[in-house]
Amino acid sequence: MKKAWKVTIIAILAITLVLGNVTTALAAEGQESQMVAMSGATQSAVQITEVLPAGDVVTEQVFKLYNPNSFAIDVEYGTLNTAESSLQKTDTISIPATSTQEVTVSDPGLRGVTFYAMNVINGTISPQHIVQAGSYRGYYIYVKHVDKESGQVLAVEDKTFSVAMTGSNKTVSISPMASYTHTDGTPYKPVSTQSAVFTCNALASLDQRSVTFFYEKNIPKDYDVTAVYVNGNTTIKTETFTVKAPNGKVSVFPSETKFMLNDRDYTLQTGQASRTHIYGDGQTEYYFYYDVSAKAPERAYNISVRYKDSSGAVIAIRNVSVPTNKTITVDLPSEYAAGNGKTYEKVSTESTLQHSHKDYYKGTTYDILYKEVTGATEPYNIKINYANAATGATLKTVTKYVTQTGVSEDIDSVLSINGTTYYLAAGQATRIEHAFKDAARTYTVYYNAKGADEVKPYEITVRFRDSETNAIVRTPIKETVNIGTGARVEIPYSTGAIVLGGVRYEISKSLLPSDSSTEDNSLLSYDINGNVVLVHQFSDSRRVYDIFLNKLGRAAEGTPDTIINTVTGPSREITNFVGGGVDVIGGGTEDEADVIEPEEDDATEDDATADIPEDNPPADEGDGTDDAADENGGTVANIDDNDTPTSAFRNEDGSLKWGWIVLDIALLGIVVALAIILIKKNNQKKAENQAH
């Protein structure tokens, strides 16, 4: 091992010695080269100046060589062949002390050369004195100015350009004269003010070196000025006005103060006056500003179809969703049976109305005129809708023809639709009796799908909170929502404030629809009476609502609290009219209309609840065995809750039985643990038997 180290050390020393000798030799050689170069160190390099010679067709480049030394020097010059990286000598000359000598090199076609010049010292070219330079050339272009109409040459110019040539033809830009007056006094202007781009070629002929610009007589002509219709920073459209030569005058003002474009209404803003333009005025565009109707939101929105009587009073409001990029058709019933027991007949002849999502700018409210009908005189049809209690979707519809003797229909307790079995939900009518004089035109009964959790009534809670402290400032509202019905909380808000516990509050603006924004995702809405309204439908999944309030200050002494009304029942979610339904054109899904009737002044909460029982007959609160007579002539019978399958893991109110679920999971864990222990013991016993 020690011998190996010794051999290695000796080898390293030997290599170091060899490399040291080589380095010393190279250094000596470098010093020798440096000495040769330095032998002319007192001789300054020749200086090159590029020359711009005069002439027409030139085939040589010209350079001046200056000797800055106090003695004569020899200088070699020529061109550099960049392709071969070699010097092509032209000549060697002697330049007297502090003198300049002009030399030329060949450059056919004025393609450009790379010129070099270097000192010759003691017969040896000194590389450090090589000086390279590009070449420039004075280039002449003949510019003709011609009358376009007659072809007469108005003027000819010789334009000289200094063109840098570095190996390829170069281009220059030449512009026409802005104006020209002929010797006979005729004024001219260029037909086009666009510049001409010319490619230089020193070998080009005179014709090839010519550029022609055309002119027309600058005699006064009629011209147009423009009224620009603007919305914000966007030009909507333009309108032109002709100004007569030579001293015409026009008044510029939009002819359209209101117009529709791309499905939006534009209206000229007030306070804008007409503009006067006199021939020769510099300004040719005049701007007028327009307001534009709201753009349709990028989401679905609702329209309201209001049924009105001859006095203008609203009988009912039908809210319909308009999907994005779709057009809906809303059926307008020829007759409408209101919850107040009155029947109305449509005055107009149209049976439907259409509204496209893009028609937002036209407004979202439609008024349809109806007149009261004192009583039916001709036979008519009623509809019985069989609906899914969980989704509200119609499973099937039965139409019955009603004569003077009336009509009845037994309701099936079990339905089979598209392979799915449905059971009549608890509290639904088993038979419908309809008399000729009854106002109802549509009945709805609800079913639960087999195997699905039974849909049952549930409770919702509405809480009022101080937005700053999050404290609840009023006793929460709790309402039970039955199958197919809804709940409506009405907050009087015509003054923009409510009083609770002697404190004035405003409702948080984030919960209210905005007057200026079309993006309305608000929780609350306004009704026709100026109330702020929270509407909950049975199909909604939410169970708790928080309405946040901003404190405004103490109310005046003795100011009573604001009375907040709550209404539940079918009167807030009815479609009891002939030929109802919403058809979504061009795809999409069918949206269910929500018809809301304004309350009568003397109506009570109970009246509103039972306003229109024919759409969703109210459930009997008895023991489920006796039929209850419907006040409008129908018969409402209850089905015992046990007749409809329920889930073993849910309570009566639909909530999960967590105790049973946890217990079942625990028992399952014990069974798995015992199984694992038995398997281990069995394996251990087998191992012991094999050992023996």
Side-chain angles (χ1 to χ4, degrees):
M1 188 69 176
K2 291 182 178 180
K3 289 182 179 181
W5 278 107
K6 289 179 179 179
V7 171
T8 302
I9 294 170
I10 291 170
I12 292 172
L13 291 174
I15 292 170
T16 304
L17 181 60
V18 171
L19 291 176
N21 292 334
V22 172
T23 304
T24 302
L26 291 174
E29 183 177 347
Q31 289 176 358
E32 183 178 351
S33 299
Q34 184 67 19
M35 288 174 65
V36 172
M38 293 300 293
S39 63
T42 57
Q43 186 179 122
S44 299
V46 63
Q47 298 175 3
I48 302 173
T49 303
E50 299 180 48
V51 180
L52 184 63
D56 184 4
V57 178
V58 182
T59 61
E60 293 181 328
Q61 302 282 3
V62 183
F63 298 89
K64 287 182 180 180
L65 302 180
Y66 172 70
N67 177 10
N69 299 285
S70 59
F71 49 85
I73 62 171
D74 293 331
V75 176
E76 177 184 307
Y77 68 92
T79 58
L80 175 65
N81 187 332
T82 55
E84 300 178 1
S85 299
S86 62
L87 301 177
Q88 294 181 343
K89 177 181 176 181
T90 299
D91 198 3
T92 299
I93 61 173
S94 178
I95 305 176
T98 62
S99 298
T100 300
Q101 194 162 328
E102 191 172 276
V103 298
T104 61
V105 292
S106 177
D107 185 18
L110 205 67
R111 295 287 181 173
V113 297
T114 299
F115 179 81
Y116 79 89
M118 54 191 174
N119 299 36
V120 180
I121 303 172
N122 297 331
T124 302
I125 296 174
S126 181
Q128 70 268 29
H129 291 320
I130 294 179
V131 180
Q132 297 179 356
S135 64
Y136 284 80
R137 171 54 49 209
Y139 196 80
Y140 296 88
I141 299 175
Y142 303 96
V143 182
K144 293 192 295 185
H145 305 279
V146 178
D147 185 323
K148 183 178 181 181
E149 184 177 355
S150 66
Q152 176 188 1
V153 177
L154 304 174
V156 176
E157 293 181 285
D158 293 339
K159 288 185 177 290
T160 303
F161 297 89
S162 178
V163 183
M165 310 303 294
T166 56
S168 62
N169 287 340
K170 293 300 174 180
T171 58
V172 294
S173 179
I174 308 170
S175 300
M177 293 184 292
S179 63
Y180 173 75
T181 302
H182 195 261
T183 54
D184 63 4
T186 304
Y188 284 86
K189 62 179 180 180
V191 174
S192 172
T193 58
Q194 185 174 358
S195 300
V197 177
F198 192 88
T199 301
C200 299
N201 182 350
L203 297 181
S205 64
L206 180 61
D207 288 341
Q208 293 171 328
R209 285 170 173 248
S210 298
V211 175
T212 301
F213 291 108
F214 292 97
Y215 294 77
E216 60 185 0
K217 293 177 181 178
N218 192 10
I219 299 174
K221 295 181 180 179
D222 298 348
Y223 62 88
D224 290 337
V225 295
T226 305
V228 183
Y229 296 23
V230 178
N231 172 251
N233 295 321
T234 303
T235 297
I236 310 163
K237 62 193 302 185
T238 59
E239 183 179 359
T240 58
F241 298 82
T242 300
V243 185
K244 297 292 185 180
N247 52 9
K249 182 171 69 172
V250 295
S251 177
V252 182
F253 192 77
S255 61
E256 297 179 274
T257 57
K258 187 172 184 179
F259 62 92
M260 186 178 73
L261 182 66
N262 297 328
D263 300 317
R264 301 181 72 181
D265 275 332
Y266 290 86
T267 305
L268 183 68
Q269 295 178 6
T270 59
Q272 299 182 84
S274 62
R275 324 287 174 81
T276 300
H277 180 96
I278 300 174
Y279 191 94
D281 286 350
Q283 183 177 356
T284 58
E285 288 187 342
Y286 298 88
Y287 294 88
F288 296 89
Y289 295 89
Y290 285 74
D291 291 325
V292 64
S293 59
K295 182 180 179 181
E298 297 178 358
R299 57 168 180 78
Y301 61 84
N302 285 342
I303 63 170
S304 293
V305 182
R306 302 191 301 187
Y307 303 162
K308 288 187 172 183
D309 64 17
S310 56
S311 68
V314 176
I315 305 167
I317 302 175
R318 186 179 183 192
N319 296 320
V320 186
S321 177
V322 185
T324 306
N325 297 325
K326 303 295 181 184
T327 297
I328 64 167
T329 298
V330 182
D331 292 333
L332 302 176
S334 57
E335 287 187 348
Y336 175 71
N340 57 13
K342 298 179 180 179
T343 300
Y344 295 85
E345 183 179 67
K346 184 163 57 66
V347 175
S348 58
T349 58
E350 72 270 27
S351 59
T352 62
L353 69 82
Q354 284 193 336
H355 182 96
S356 296
H357 186 272
K358 64 182 181 180
D359 291 340
Y360 186 85
Y361 74 94
K362 294 180 179 179
T364 56
T365 301
Y366 294 86
D367 290 333
I368 309 299
L369 181 61
Y370 283 79
K371 63 180 181 180
E372 183 180 352
V373 179
T374 55
T377 58
E378 299 292 335
Y380 56 89
N381 289 328
I382 63 170
K383 289 185 178 181
I384 303 173
N385 293 324
Y386 294 72
N388 187 329
T391 66
T394 300
L395 302 174
K396 75 170 186 176
T397 298
V398 174
T399 300
K400 303 295 289 185
Y401 187 67
V402 183
T403 63
Q404 294 286 349
T405 59
V407 71
S408 63
E409 176 75 6
D410 291 326
I411 304 302
D412 297 330
S413 59
V414 180
L415 291 179
S416 180
I417 306 293
N418 297 327
T420 301
T421 300
Y422 295 88
Y423 297 94
L424 188 65
Q428 298 300 291
T430 58
R431 181 179 176 82
I432 292 176
E433 297 281 352
H434 181 91
F436 183 76
K437 62 180 178 58
D438 291 340
R441 294 296 183 269
T442 300
Y443 296 87
T444 302
V445 289
Y446 291 89
Y447 287 76
N448 291 312
K450 181 180 180 180
D453 291 338
E454 182 183 8
V455 179
K456 292 185 176 182
Y458 59 83
E459 186 178 75
I460 64 168
T461 301
V462 181
R463 301 180 298 201
F464 294 80
R465 292 183 179 273
D466 186 312
S467 59
E468 184 176 352
T469 65
N470 206 40
I472 296 176
V473 297
R474 182 192 188 278
T475 302
I477 295 173
K478 296 182 181 293
E479 289 293 342
T480 298
V481 184
N482 292 303
I483 297 173
T485 67
R488 175 182 174 94
V489 178
E490 297 175 343
I491 308 170
Y493 206 65
S494 58
T495 62
I498 62 174
V499 177
L500 297 175
V503 178
R504 295 178 69 249
Y505 295 93
E506 68 172 1
I507 299 173
S508 174
K509 290 181 172 58
S510 63
L511 303 178
L512 297 171
S514 170
D515 293 334
S516 60
S517 172
T518 59
E519 293 296 328
D520 182 11
N521 298 304
S522 53
L523 174 69
L524 307 175
S525 61
Y526 293 101
D527 67 8
I528 57 177
N529 299 314
N531 298 320
V532 169
V533 178
L534 168 67
V535 176
H536 176 92
Q537 305 293 359
F538 183 81
S539 57
D540 294 341
S541 59
R542 194 164 179 174
R543 296 294 181 267
V544 177
Y545 294 88
D546 284 314
I547 298 177
F548 288 92
L549 308 172
N550 300 325
K551 185 182 294 184
L552 298 176
R554 297 296 303 177
E557 188 71 25
T559 303
D561 281 6
T562 300
I563 298 175
I564 299 175
N565 297 316
T566 306
V567 182
T568 61
S571 63
R572 296 306 175 195
E573 190 186 325
I574 60 171
T575 53
N576 59 332
F577 46 79
V578 178
V582 180
D583 181 26
V584 180
I585 298 175
T589 57
E590 182 174 297
D591 291 311
E592 186 171 342
D594 180 22
V595 177
I596 302 173
E597 295 184 9
E599 290 186 70
E600 298 290 342
D601 292 337
D602 57 351
T604 64
E605 184 170 319
D606 290 336
D607 291 334
T609 302
D611 216 6
I612 305 181
E614 55 270 24
D615 181 55
N616 184 28
D620 184 7
E621 298 298 333
D623 58 6
T625 58
D626 296 329
D627 291 346
D630 184 356
E631 64 181 62
N632 284 319
T635 301
V636 181
N638 287 337
I639 299 176
D640 192 277
D641 290 348
N642 296 328
D643 292 344
T644 305
T646 59
S647 171
F649 294 102
R650 291 189 179 272
N651 297 307
E652 290 299 316
D653 61 356
S655 60
L656 293 172
K657 298 178 179 179
W658 287 107
W660 285 107
I661 293 174
V662 172
L663 180 60
D664 287 348
I665 293 173
L667 291 174
L668 179 61
I670 294 171
V671 171
V672 172
L674 290 174
I676 293 172
I677 293 171
L678 290 174
I679 291 171
K680 286 186 176 180
K681 286 187 176 181
N682 188 37
N683 291 339
Q684 184 179 0
K685 188 173 183 179
K686 285 183 179 180
E688 291 175 354
N689 292 335
Q690 289 175 356
H692 292 297

